[in-house]
Amino acid sequence: MLSFVRKTIQCLCLMLIASFASAGDETSAQTDYSSHKVLLIGVDGLQYEKLLEAINNGDAPTLARLFAAKSYTGGIVGTFTQQTTYSGPGWATILTGAWIDRHQVHGNDGLLRNKTDSLFKLIKTAAPNRQTASIVSWDTINDNFAEDIHNGYINRALQCHDDDRCVATAVSQLLQSGDSDFIFAHFDEPDVTGHAMGFSPEYQEAIQQVDAYISGLLSALATRPAEEDWLVIVAPDHGRLLPLGQNHGGQTLSEKTTFIALNKPANEQLSQPIVDPMNPGFDGLYGEASQADIAPTVLHHLGIAPNPATYRIDGQPLLGPPGVRQLTVYANNQERRVTLQWRNQSPSGRPITIYRDGKKLVELTDHRAEFVDTELQTIPAGPVDINYVVVMDDVPVARLVRVDLAPL
Ligand SMILES: [Zn+2]
């Protein structure tokens, strides 16, 4: 099965690279980002291995045409990023690029409110004329982002009350009627069927149905003006517990395993997982991309330049340069120091700049893969969060570290 999939991906890449070459240089300063748009499709509870099974059986022909690779959810176990593999935290991470220590959506509760900047807010703040939409089958998602709706960061918000057809119809209409720049479309049926039936023929049928809905959305996209450059991303919020596949929420390899599928060839963060990740847990799963990488990928495609001084996104883009990978930050409270480590694939002397809470700390080159911050005199004793940002190739990656420093 795996070799089949790899072959499919290779064929697809060649086609996409060919079409890319004629589209011109994405990184050129002349890029007109106003024609760049994003359709982010969430499929609740869709297990990667079961998607591959459906693709292998010819039951997911639309998803088979995308570039897909494994990713992880649930944060890093044993750190402040660890979050349950439920839908609330998963969608919050996908829509913010941050883990629970920033978004604070810790469960499936419509009363919870996202506490960090969302894609909707970041897009509307940077480009007020851009039009955003969030059309969800599971209503709780738009409840968790109710402040964005209230503040006008989501131009069109619709709760479809667990009716996937409603989502497909509304999003197709949005695509045909014209002015959306970022659409989040959420389908729920694979998760609902998974809870009721577990891994089963019915679950596979739910995958087949969602593939058909996505096919309809891509047909609507095909009617858009040729000059528009749409990035399409498909991702689930979590995996499922083996062996039955009915439940999820815990920290097992199967529940933590997700995938990200794009209609464009991804960079090494998605296509070349790190084989010896800093944290070797879960059979090397942390060497893959994570669902926090989706939001910065959206911002990259829309041409929204990050401000490193205020940056608070944990993920890194899957298009263009990925920045430093595997950024890991930990504190030694007794000795009042914080250590940052990262991985560089091919060091070549490129500059790296590090910020702490918006203040530029140091400039290094990518021959270095560690920095120890010992200048913490201004940080008071006791528990406090510090935000570090490491910038390489103009791509920032952020980490929050909760310190509890000893008195000076
Ligand atoms: Zn569920």
Side-chain angles (χ1 to χ4, degrees):
M1 186 203 298
L2 277 177
S3 66
F4 168 84
V5 171
R6 207 168 289 136
K7 203 169 146 196
T8 307
I9 285 172
Q10 281 169 357
C11 294
L12 177 73
C13 283
L14 285 175
M15 278 161 28
L16 284 168
I17 288 165
S19 67
F20 229 41
S22 61
D25 181 10
E26 279 268 312
T27 60
S28 128
Q30 286 81 41
T31 303
D32 174 12
Y33 285 104
S34 65
S35 62
H36 284 213
K37 295 160 190 291
V38 179
L39 173 61
L40 171 57
I41 301 171
V43 184
D44 214 293
L46 174 50
Q47 186 81 33
Y48 185 48
E49 292 80 1
K50 295 297 167 183
L51 170 62
L52 295 182
E53 196 176 305
I55 288 173
N56 217 10
N57 291 334
D59 292 335
T62 312
L63 290 166
R65 292 205 305 274
L66 300 175
F67 177 98
K70 198 187 284 184
S71 57
Y72 71 87
T73 182
I76 306 268
V77 169
T79 74
F80 291 110
T81 65
Q82 179 179 335
Q83 60 190 40
T84 60
T85 54
Y86 288 126
S87 292
W91 294 122
T93 294
I94 287 170
L95 292 170
T96 64
W99 298 109
I100 189 165
D101 49 349
R102 298 188 199 271
H103 65 62
Q104 297 181 31
V105 178
H106 54 74
N108 291 347
D109 182 345
L111 294 177
L112 295 170
R113 295 291 177 265
N114 165 55
K115 296 298 182 193
T116 192
D117 288 348
S118 70
L119 273 176
F120 308 109
K121 179 179 178 181
L122 291 167
I123 292 167
K124 292 295 287 186
T125 305
N129 292 332
R130 294 277 202 173
Q131 297 296 302
T132 63
S134 182
I135 314 295
V136 298
S137 186
W138 188 52
D139 296 350
T140 306
I141 301 171
N142 277 5
D143 290 336
N144 293 150
F145 288 86
E147 289 173 9
D148 282 344
I149 297 170
H150 178 257
N151 290 326
Y153 299 137
I154 301 177
N155 296 103
R156 295 180 185 81
L158 178 64
Q159 292 173 308
C160 278
H161 319 307
D162 284 325
D163 179 358
D164 280 4
R165 186 178 299 276
C166 156
V167 175
T169 303
V171 174
S172 286
Q173 281 171 359
L174 268 184
L175 288 170
Q176 281 153 10
S177 70
D179 64 348
S180 293
D181 296 285
F182 171 64
I183 301 174
F184 173 57
H186 166 270
F187 294 102
D188 204 26
E189 193 53 42
D191 193 61
V192 172
T193 306
H195 282 292
M197 312 291 292
F199 295 137
S200 58
E202 289 81 359
Y203 184 74
Q204 296 306 117
E205 280 170 30
I207 297 174
Q208 199 172 2
Q209 176 62 66
V210 92
D211 187 272
Y213 284 137
I214 293 171
S215 173
L217 299 189
L218 298 191
S219 296
L221 257 192
T223 66
R224 304 288 312 168
E227 63 269 21
E228 292 184 359
D229 182 352
W230 281 83
L231 170 64
V232 179
I233 306 178
V234 181
D237 50 344
H238 54 70
R240 315 196 73 81
L241 178 64
L242 295 178
L244 299 180
Q246 282 189 296
N247 298 317
H248 59 89
Q251 295 283 347
T252 64
L253 175 60
S254 183
E255 287 164 286
K256 287 181 74 64
T257 299
T258 50
F259 68 88
I260 301 170
L262 307 177
N263 68 334
K264 296 175 181 290
N267 65 24
E268 59 267 35
Q269 172 69 1
L270 185 65
S271 64
Q272 294 169 36
I274 288 175
V275 294
D276 58 340
M278 300 263 210
N279 183 324
F282 299 100
D283 291 345
L285 184 67
Y286 293 131
E288 313 279 348
S290 87
Q291 68 183 179
D293 297 340
I294 292 170
T297 306
V298 171
L299 295 173
H300 169 88
H301 185 69
L302 293 176
I304 294 173
N307 178 353
T310 57
Y311 200 73
R312 300 182 72 80
I313 291 181
D314 298 312
Q316 49 204 123
L318 304 173
L319 299 170
V324 299
R325 298 175 71 185
Q326 301 262 299
L327 178 60
T328 304
V329 181
Y330 53 93
N332 182 325
N333 290 314
Q334 279 311 310
E335 299 182 14
R336 292 186 71 89
R337 64 168 190 257
V338 172
T339 301
L340 293 78
Q341 294 174 319
W342 57 87
R343 292 278 176 83
N344 295 324
Q345 298 267 252
S346 43
S348 60
R350 289 169 297 178
I352 289 179
T353 310
I354 300 177
Y355 296 79
R356 183 217 306 135
D357 287 337
K359 176 174 172 278
K360 189 188 282 190
L361 286 184
V362 65
E363 289 190 23
L364 313 166
T365 74
D366 66 358
H367 295 295
R368 292 271 300 273
E370 180 180 278
F371 173 70
V372 182
D373 184 6
T374 56
E375 307 289 313
L376 296 168
Q377 297 89 340
T378 57
I379 309 290
V384 63
D385 286 344
I386 304 178
N387 187 51
Y388 283 94
V389 179
V390 179
V391 184
M392 184 174 76
D393 297 327
D394 294 326
V395 176
V397 183
R399 281 292 175 283
L400 206 57
V401 59
R402 195 158 299 161
V403 300
D404 191 354
L405 299 177
L408 277 166

